[in-house]
Amino acid sequence: MGYLGFSKTLLSRRDWVYLLSLLIPLIVYNLALKAYSVASLPGSNGADSVLGLMWSDLFSNLGYALLWIGLFAAVRERGAFRRVVVILFHATTIFMLVVATCAHQYFRQNGTTLDYGTIAEWIPKFEELGPIFAYDVPTSAWMLLAAALLYVTLGPLILTRTIGWWWGWPERSATEASGVFFSAAFGLWFLAFIFGSLSLLIGTTTLARDPVVNMVLTGMEAAAAEDYDSYVGEHPATRAELAQTPDTEKRNVVLIHLESTRAQSVTPYNEDLKTMPFLDELAESSLLMERAYTTVPRSSKASVGVNCGIEPPLYPGPEFEPGGIPVPCLASLLKGQDYQTVFFASTSNTMDNFDAVARGFGYEEIYSSEVMDTDGFQVTNTFGYEEDIMLEPSEEWLKAHGDEPFMAEYFTGTGHYGYECVPNRYGYESFSEDEEIDRYHNCLRMLDHFLENLFDQYKKLGLYEDTVFVLFGDHGEGFGEHGRYLHGDTIYEEGLRIPMLIHDPKRFQSGERVEELSSQIDILPTVLDVLGYEVRNGQYPGYSLLRQLPADRTLNFSCITNRKCLASLKGDEKYIHHYNNEPDELFDLSEDPLEEQNLASEWSKVELDERRQNLLRWRAGVDAMYGGE
């Protein structure tokens, strides 16, 4: 029997049209999206490079097609079972379509692959992600997905009936109802199994995997992850409290959170880039940390490090829950010393659920954009407005409470993705030929004007001299330097290295510098040292930046996506572990600050294994302090 004869015997003409009218567009759509993503990678070298990362997708889609051809062959007889198969065919195809589209859009926005860990984190936080889906996903992407879903739902039925009517096919032929071809179906299922297995084996990195295959495998990897025994008990700072000393001065403390502000994009760390001249002027009479880092490049995680003086949980959740932080944070400690506390944010409460986060830190009063006058103020980012929106409520609060010692935090949002700062009330300057980086830098320039306005407010109210100001970036931002965008999984210097300085009008007048590695967890002990307080009944892990730091200090870092990447920095040696996403990396930052030359091949397997094992143990130990993942 020839091929045409076999195909007619295997399935009716209607079934072939019905199946192929859905399978062929799906396969073309999936492969086109993957080819576009791969071709957009930095250093992509033509068709061979693209094809090399698409074999998993090719085999996966071919296996999927053979699976359904076999199922339709096995249920040629009309009945309830066939209807179930048809419904499942459409449902699973819709699922594959949504996953492929989301994975493509996620890769375009972040430069990393979408995996099980990311989806698991999204599900309980859909309200927070709503503004991102509404404003950041292009309309064209929504239209493409809607058109594809509409076709998947109704297209095969309409197309099959139209072709059948055009060619005069009978509604139901006798041959369509004859026999159930299980032998042929089993043969097709066996081939589908072979191709499915190949799609798993060939995709050795997450980018080289089919999106659905990657979702399944990363879920299995997370479930089977090696378990490192860690002591689960009371954190050393759980019972910490402050005691006054002869040096104690109850001065005001102000934390200024610079959202998505990377060190390389601000003037004190890059004198050729005049994005933040006021911050540069401030740094001349401040204690500036030359090599300051965040532990996890995410706002809520960074805020745990700054406010609570401990490394944040490396998995989603604890900082959003009452009692989720296992130690007293700075606001709570100072409240015990009769300080008033307040938290201002130019963003909405949907920004990383900061209403709950700030309350967990111990702030008594919280003012977000929802309770501020927004008339005349510019929307500058996904979640909020320009920072000047905080000036009026800040002045009102300070006039009412400034006669007593207080702690205040100002949470800015203008540096966050969206970068909607061109034009703005402070004019425009050209910083880059790259349009997105130029908008980002103009947002930092706009943020700099707010800092100047805020300091002027404190001076006008007579509070400046008696206030200690701490300015810090929560994390950096990627613009494709290493194929990654935004910040969550940007484990490179552009994502981790931040500006951090302490401005005290009573000291550092000549400008002082900390050249050793420093972390956000050093802010709490440094502030307490400046104020002259002693910590009793507990110990925080950070160091006072007023004192000599250990020369052999190692800083550890984590991406926000589970099992995406970890890194450690000791001296100038930076090691990055990517799990199965891509090969591990090692950089010498003293010779290669842009992290372009991977030196991992020059190290022995034993040395690399030790760095990786230390990171995995660190991760398990940090999470154990929060009750585990």
Side-chain angles (χ1 to χ4, degrees), residues 394-577:
S394 169
E395 183 170 354
E396 291 176 357
W397 191 91
L398 293 174
K399 286 179 177 178
H401 300 86
D403 56 343
E404 298 288 340
F406 64 85
M407 176 181 174
E409 178 166 350
Y410 295 86
F411 184 99
T412 72
T414 289
H416 191 277
Y417 174 75
Y419 323 129
E420 300 172 36
C421 303
V422 178
N424 65 69
R425 69 176 70 244
Y426 296 107
Y428 165 77
E429 288 191 20
S430 177
F431 294 106
S432 172
E433 293 182 359
D434 184 294
E435 187 265 342
E436 188 165 56
I437 294 179
D438 189 59
R439 288 190 291 112
Y440 170 69
H441 283 162
N442 270 277
C443 282
L444 298 185
R445 179 176 178 272
M446 194 176 190
L447 175 59
D448 193 58
H449 281 284
F450 163 73
L451 296 179
E452 186 172 11
N453 294 337
L454 184 65
F455 273 76
D456 286 344
Q457 182 179 97
Y458 273 74
K459 291 175 181 178
K460 183 182 74 172
L461 296 175
L463 298 171
Y464 170 73
E465 293 291 336
D466 205 32
T467 301
V468 179
F469 298 89
V470 182
L471 298 90
F472 61 93
D474 59 348
H475 49 72
E477 197 81 340
F479 290 92
E481 293 88 348
H482 293 88
R484 297 189 179 186
Y485 297 85
L486 304 182
H487 47 265
D489 293 326
T490 303
I491 201 74
Y492 302 93
E493 293 293 281
E494 62 268 20
L496 298 178
R497 191 171 172 222
I498 55 169
M500 193 163 84
L501 60 88
I502 297 176
H503 182 76
D504 181 352
K506 296 185 178 181
R507 61 199 309 169
F508 315 130
Q509 283 82 1
S510 59
E512 298 183 22
R513 300 292 180 263
V514 175
E515 297 181 355
E516 294 86 2
L517 293 178
S518 58
S519 167
Q520 290 167 336
I521 68 171
D522 299 328
I523 288 177
L524 182 146
T526 304
V527 168
L528 296 179
D529 200 1
V530 170
L531 298 179
Y533 282 106
E534 178 182 289
V535 177
R536 292 184 180 172
N537 300 325
Q539 183 176 0
Y540 290 87
Y543 298 93
S544 170
L545 298 169
L546 304 185
R547 307 177 188 279
Q548 185 66 42
L549 297 177
D552 62 346
R553 186 180 194 182
T554 297
L555 297 181
N556 297 314
F557 318 102
S558 173
C559 291
I560 66 170
T561 301
N562 184 36
R563 296 181 59 80
K564 177 72 73 173
C565 48
L566 301 169
S568 64
L569 177 60
K570 184 175 183 179
D572 292 312
E573 293 175 351
K574 183 175 179 182
Y575 167 74
I576 304 176
H577 173 52

Side-chain angles (χ1 to χ4, degrees), residues 265-463:
S265 287
V266 298
T267 311
Y269 295 82
N270 185 351
E271 61 183 13
D272 296 328
L273 193 59
K274 305 302 181 183
T275 53
M276 304 189 76
F278 177 76
L279 184 65
D280 191 42
E281 177 185 334
L282 205 64
E284 293 177 0
S285 57
S286 301
L287 177 67
L288 183 140
M289 279 49 81
E290 296 278 8
R291 302 182 67 197
Y293 287 86
T294 185
T295 302
V296 182
R298 177 173 178 171
S299 300
S300 64
K301 304 295 185 184
S303 293
V304 172
V306 170
N307 279 272
C308 307
I310 61 174
E311 290 170 315
L314 307 181
Y315 63 98
E319 68 269 30
F320 305 126
E321 303 297 330
I325 306 300
V327 304
C329 302
L330 187 57
S332 295
L333 291 170
L334 292 178
K335 276 199 301 185
Q337 299 296 315
D338 300 320
Y339 273 66
Q340 303 293 309
T341 59
V342 64
F343 185 95
F344 299 99
S346 62
T347 59
S348 72
N349 281 327
T350 58
M351 170 65 172
D352 238 353
N353 196 19
F354 255 94
D355 181 77
V357 172
R359 292 190 189 281
F361 294 161
Y363 289 100
E364 297 169 298
E365 297 185 61
I366 298 174
Y367 297 86
S368 65
S369 64
E370 286 91 344
V371 298
M372 297 180 186
D373 182 6
T374 62
D375 289 344
F377 292 99
Q378 182 174 342
V379 173
T380 57
N381 59 89
T382 304
F383 293 99
Y385 296 81
E386 60 178 292
E387 272 61 57
D388 283 0
I389 194 176
M390 294 188 284
L391 292 175
E392 182 177 345
S394 169
E395 183 170 354
E396 291 176 357
W397 191 91
L398 293 174
K399 286 179 177 178
H401 300 86
D403 56 343
E404 298 288 340
F406 64 85
M407 176 181 174
E409 178 166 350
Y410 295 86
F411 184 99
T412 72
T414 289
H416 191 277
Y417 174 75
Y419 323 129
E420 300 172 36
C421 303
V422 178
N424 65 69
R425 69 176 70 244
Y426 296 107
Y428 165 77
E429 288 191 20
S430 177
F431 294 106
S432 172
E433 293 182 359
D434 184 294
E435 187 265 342
E436 188 165 56
I437 294 179
D438 189 59
R439 288 190 291 112
Y440 170 69
H441 283 162
N442 270 277
C443 282
L444 298 185
R445 179 176 178 272
M446 194 176 190
L447 175 59
D448 193 58
H449 281 284
F450 163 73
L451 296 179
E452 186 172 11
N453 294 337
L454 184 65
F455 273 76
D456 286 344
Q457 182 179 97
Y458 273 74
K459 291 175 181 178
K460 183 182 74 172
L461 296 175
L463 298 171

